Amino acid sequence: MPVRLHALPMISAVLALTLPAAARADETALVQEAWTATGDMLRAGAAGISAPQQAGGLSLSKSGEASNGGSGIDNYAQYLSQDGAIQATLYIYLPSYADASLAAYMTDKAIMSRFGAKTRRTAYDTVRVGGRDGGAIRAVYEDAADGALTTAAAFVHAGRWLAKIRVTGPAERQREVLAGLDGMLSSLRFDDAASIHSTRAVSYADCADSASARAAGADDLALKPEGGAALCVRSRIETADGSYEMLQAQGVKDGPVIIPADDMGTVLAFDRTASGRGYRLSIHSVGRTDFYGTYARLPGAQQIAAMLNGKDPQIAQASSTADYAANGKVTVRHAQDKAN
């Protein structure tokens, strides 16, 4: 299966970010209703997350599924100011590698790339959500698009789900943009507030000299999402579509690594095998994980670039695939099963 990231249609020229990447739904999973209206709230039932229909001068304009129609794992709701100049989107989606800090970091990269060199990030920290301190990351960007726009975002990881809010509007209406973001964020409701993960806004420095790092041990088979380990940049992978960072735990030599590929949860993971003598590749996306073969050693930058470009023959077909349904069901398929 090619890994190359083709751009999907944009919601609007103002938001300028794609809908969550497509992922195949489990045909046997219970069909989920993406959203239901309950009073003045809009509820994503499978995720147990409710959002306001009006907040901070914004009103709901439409809602639906970005992909996987009927599966309820990739949901969006769009909001507009009365004159349509300020636009917002709430995504509630189910990435198989859910991590709000990674989503915020990759969205930060996408915003900086999309909106140009004048763009300034003026806020990037954790805030309270759903009654939990440090449960959300909030980011604000000024002077976007050569000073024409202000854009802001927030990220929450609750249970298996991520909620992502984007609000964008004219620079001279920054106060309204932030009122929209903060109004939506403060109005989010969670069926189980205890499911909200603590998170933090991150940046990644280059890894220190590996000579001082400890050898990977039994606890280093895989990197755990959402702050399971402090990460550093082992190396950078250059492709025709841009630069990707290979992240590993700080102070661990030859441990597992991850390579975030986009802002909607696509992650390449090289986990150590149980024997510790090699790496196994898995590719995570919305509602799905594809498992590939093992490598005696971590592939080099050129081979990983080929994987990201969909040109590496060793990942032409996954050995097995796990599909994650909104109702919690996980269906695993093996390559021989698909052939029959």
Side-chain angles (χ1 to χ4, degrees):
M1 182 192 75
V3 185
R4 186 179 179 87
L5 305 175
H6 297 287
L8 297 176
M10 293 182 182
I11 290 179
S12 71
V14 176
L15 289 177
L17 284 181
T18 59
L19 291 168
R24 186 182 61 191
D26 175 10
E27 296 91 339
T28 63
L30 178 67
V31 172
Q32 298 286 329
E33 192 71 32
W35 300 96
T36 55
T38 56
D40 59 354
M41 302 292 284
L42 189 68
R43 184 170 186 271
I49 301 174
S50 299
Q53 296 196 42
Q54 293 186 323
L58 302 175
S59 299
L60 179 71
S61 62
K62 69 176 181 176
S63 61
E65 293 178 87
S67 60
N68 303 283
S71 66
I73 63 171
D74 194 3
N75 313 311
Y76 74 93
Q78 288 183 269
Y79 297 77
L80 295 172
S81 61
Q82 188 171 6
D83 62 0
I86 299 172
Q87 304 186 30
T89 305
L90 165 67
Y91 304 94
I92 297 178
Y93 59 108
L94 182 65
S96 59
Y97 195 98
D99 188 317
S101 60
L102 272 185
Y105 179 76
M106 294 302 290
T107 299
D108 180 87
K109 291 183 64 175
I111 288 172
M112 292 297 191
S113 174
R114 168 66 184 176
F115 287 122
K118 289 184 64 175
T119 306
R120 297 182 297 116
R121 186 180 65 208
T122 56
Y124 193 53
D125 48 24
T126 54
V127 297
R128 185 177 179 86
V129 68
R132 182 175 188 129
D133 292 331
I137 296 170
R138 178 183 181 273
V140 177
Y141 302 85
E142 299 178 19
D143 292 331
D146 289 329
L149 300 175
T150 292
T151 189
F155 308 83
V156 184
H157 180 188
R160 301 176 301 138
W161 298 80
L162 286 184
K164 173 178 176 176
I165 304 169
R166 281 288 314 279
V167 186
T168 301
E172 64 270 18
R173 297 174 65 176
Q174 176 181 334
R175 183 173 297 179
E176 294 172 74
V177 170
L178 299 186
L181 176 74
D182 295 336
M184 291 181 64
L185 186 60
S186 65
S187 299
L188 289 180
R189 297 293 179 263
F190 301 83
D191 289 0
D192 180 11
S195 71
I196 301 172
H197 296 250
S198 294
T199 188
R200 58 192 178 94
V202 297
S203 59
Y204 302 112
D206 290 347
C207 295
D209 185 358
S210 61
S212 61
R214 65 172 175 83
D219 294 331
D220 299 307
L221 296 181
L223 291 176
K224 297 178 177 61
E226 211 64 75
L231 304 179
C232 59
V233 179
R234 174 174 175 147
S235 64
R236 289 173 175 81
I237 312 300
E238 303 296 334
T239 75
D241 295 325
S243 177
Y244 300 86
E245 292 160 330
M246 181 184 293
L247 305 176
Q248 69 173 33
Q250 290 182 5
V252 178
K253 184 178 181 180
D254 297 328
V257 302
I258 59 171
I259 304 165
D262 62 31
D263 63 313
M264 281 299 184
T266 305
V267 175
L268 279 68
F270 288 94
D271 299 321
R272 295 305 303 263
T273 61
S275 67
R277 297 176 180 170
Y279 294 84
R280 185 180 188 187
L281 169 64
S282 56
I283 298 178
H284 302 270
S285 56
V286 174
R288 174 171 174 162
T289 299
D290 291 308
F291 298 95
Y292 295 87
T294 58
Y295 298 79
R297 60 185 59 84
L298 192 65
Q302 187 172 357
Q303 186 175 3
I304 293 175
M307 294 175 186
L308 288 163
N309 288 329
K311 298 179 179 179
D312 185 83
Q314 294 192 48
I315 61 167
Q317 181 175 333
S319 60
S320 60
T321 296
D323 288 314
Y324 302 86
N327 62 2
K329 182 177 180 180
V330 180
T331 301
V332 178
R333 295 183 178 86
H334 299 283
Q336 58 267 31
D337 299 332
K338 301 173 190 177
N340 295 330

